[in-house]
């Protein structure tokens, strides 16, 4: 085996290894983006849930006030 052929084989393996490492880096980057998006989605869901709880509590308070007004008018 000549030095050129050996060099070509080593170079091919290095290029293949770099491709695999590059793909892993890209996958890690995409996973990081997905995790950040998931976190933002969870934050929005929690915020919407809190708003719904406030609206429900306000509605309950309004119903109680109307009942008290009816009792007071009677």
């Amino acid at each position: 085996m000549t030095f050129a052929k050996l060099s070509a084989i080593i170079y091919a393996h290095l290029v293949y290894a770099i491709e695999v490492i590059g793909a892993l880096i890209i996958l890690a980057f995409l996973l990081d983006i997905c995790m950040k998006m998931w976190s933002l989605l969870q934050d929005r869901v929690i915020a919407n849930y809190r708003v719904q709880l406030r609206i429900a509590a306000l509605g309950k308070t309004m119903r109680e006030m109307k009942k008290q007004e009816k009792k007071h008018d009677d």
Side-chain angles (χ1 to χ4, degrees), residues 3-57:
F3 179 74
K5 192 171 184 179
L6 183 62
S7 297
I9 291 171
I10 292 171
Y11 178 77
H13 286 294
L14 287 175
V15 168
Y16 178 74
I18 290 171
E19 288 177 3
V20 172
I21 292 170
L24 291 175
I25 291 170
I26 291 170
L27 286 175
F29 180 69
L30 291 174
L31 179 62
D32 184 53
I33 290 173
C34 289
M35 294 300 288
K36 287 178 183 176
M37 290 176 66
W38 178 253
S39 178
L40 288 174
L41 179 64
Q42 286 179 333
D43 291 344
R44 284 187 179 183
V45 167
I46 291 169
N48 287 341
Y49 179 71
R50 288 180 180 161
V51 168
Q52 288 176 357
L53 288 179
R54 288 181 192 149
I55 291 171

